[in-house]
Amino acid sequence: SEMCIRDRLKVPLIMVMGHENCGAVSAAKAVVENGTVLPGALGAMVAPIVPAVVQSMQAGGNDVVNNAVRLHAQLTARWLRSENSIVSTAVDSGALKVVASFYDIDSGSVTILPD
């Protein structure tokens, strides 16, 4: 039930937040562009970001990294809403909202990104 889900999650909102000039996204870009191999656990940490970098590079534009940051936040929020059964059930019942956002470190502003 909805109450059970709220009791389990204890939150009404999940905000997936990417931040300006993210180092992990820059590392994923280096993997895509140059075939860079990251040491240790870094490769596994960066691997899920690669699809957003590829999409951002294909879309063009002059800010591949920050566009990929935004896209990765959106993709992660979509994944949570659809693939995590506890989250998706809570979203479907209206007990929970999942949003993607972008934190601009320079200005201190947070922008909610479209679904």
Side-chain angles (χ1 to χ4, degrees), residues 5-104:
I5 292 165
R6 278 188 189 246
D7 289 345
R8 200 175 210 177
L9 293 175
K10 307 221 185 291
V11 296
L13 173 69
I14 295 174
M15 180 177 283
V16 179
M17 183 178 293
H19 67 86
E20 179 183 25
N21 299 324
C22 176
V25 175
S26 295
K29 184 175 180 255
V31 168
V32 173
E33 284 184 326
N34 308 318
T36 301
V37 176
L38 300 170
L42 289 177
M45 185 176 63
V46 167
I49 302 169
V50 167
V53 170
V54 169
Q55 277 188 268
S56 179
M57 291 173 78
Q58 290 171 343
N62 60 355
D63 198 352
V64 169
V65 169
N66 286 321
N67 289 338
V69 169
R70 290 178 186 91
L71 183 57
H72 183 61
Q74 290 170 303
L75 292 172
T76 301
R78 286 178 198 148
W79 178 85
L80 281 169
R81 286 191 297 263
S82 64
E83 300 299 321
N84 182 293
S85 62
I86 294 171
V87 172
S88 65
T89 300
V91 168
D92 290 346
S93 75
L96 176 69
K97 186 161 178 73
V98 179
V99 298
S101 62
F102 179 79
Y103 174 50
D104 186 317

